[in-house]
Amino acid sequence: MTKRPLILLDVDGVLNPARRHSLRQRRHECVLDGRSYRILLDARHGAKLAALARDTGAELAWATTWEDHANAEIAPRLGLPALPVIAVNGDPGSRAGEHFKTRHVAEYVAGRPFVWFDDGLGVPDWQYLKDHPGVGEFLLVDVEPRTGLTDAHLERARAWLSGRDAEAVDR
């Protein structure tokens, strides 16, 4: 039985870009742990991500420092249901140059194929995941934090998820 693939989502720099580049992006105020944050979200991302998951048989999950706050503050604004959350906070940092979230993702995926949308990943992350026991096929989609998630990123993920058997590991 094939394991259902995962689509892992970061918030800041991916769904919440550093600057507005579309009139469809709306500003929102969030209060997390007593601190106020302004975020930019494009409500169309929810439907596009849901369609990507539905069409490819994948499951959406959060891989963000927002952790459970993503379900309270981000998901409803995008029209997404509550998603599984990968706990990533409280980690002291890199061991081999990889992003602090990478080790948590490696443990969470448990052999399931996955696409990871993030703005902070690079060669050390790819190498860590490639070498980690229990990590199978994956695609890291590097998102430019100034503009955030685009249709081109989604199409790249769709193509990879639809043709996973063609390549074992891609970057």
Side-chain angles (χ1 to χ4, degrees), residues 8 29 35 39 41 45 47 59 68 73 109 113 125 139-140 145 149 162 165:
L8 307 181
E29 295 286 330
R35 294 184 63 193
I39 59 172
L41 296 174
H45 282 148
E59 177 185 2
D68 291 316
E73 299 290 342
V109 298
D125 302 286
L139 173 68
L140 303 181
L149 188 68
S162 298
D165 297 331

Side-chain angles (χ1 to χ4, degrees), residues 6 8 62-65 67 85-95 98-110 114 116 125 128-129 132 135:
L6 290 162
L8 307 181
W62 296 115
T64 175
T65 57
E67 291 187 341
V85 174
I86 301 173
V88 298
N89 290 328
D91 193 313
S94 166
R95 293 186 187 137
E98 78 281 359
H99 193 283
F100 71 91
K101 292 188 282 187
T102 302
R103 288 188 310 284
H104 300 285
V105 165
E107 294 303 319
Y108 183 86
V109 298
F114 68 96
W116 186 4
D125 302 286
Y128 183 91
L129 292 166
H132 193 279
V135 172

Side-chain angles (χ1 to χ4, degrees), residues 1 5 18-19 36 54 57 74 82 95 108 112-113 116 133 139 166 169:
M1 181 172 146
R19 63 182 173 87
S36 181
R54 180 189 64 243
I74 307 300
R95 293 186 187 137
Y108 183 86
R112 293 169 71 178
W116 186 4
L139 173 68
V169 178

Side-chain angles (χ1 to χ4, degrees), residues 21-92:
H21 69 289
S22 165
L23 294 177
R24 294 200 179 250
Q25 293 171 326
R26 299 284 182 246
R27 289 200 186 283
H28 301 275
E29 295 286 330
C30 300
V31 177
L32 308 177
D33 301 325
R35 294 184 63 193
S36 181
Y37 294 91
R38 285 186 177 181
I39 59 172
L40 282 172
L41 296 174
D42 182 338
R44 296 175 303 167
H45 282 148
K48 290 177 181 184
L49 288 163
L52 176 63
R54 180 189 64 243
D55 296 349
T56 60
E59 177 185 2
L60 296 167
W62 296 115
T64 175
T65 57
W66 284 68
E67 291 187 341
D68 291 316
H69 295 295
N71 280 325
E73 299 290 342
I74 307 300
R77 290 180 167 115
L78 296 180
L80 292 172
L83 304 176
V85 174
I86 301 173
V88 298
N89 290 328
D91 193 313

Side-chain angles (χ1 to χ4, degrees), residues 109-125:
V109 298
R112 293 169 71 178
F114 68 96
V115 170
W116 186 4
F117 293 110
D118 203 293
D119 65 318
L121 304 177
V123 172
D125 302 286

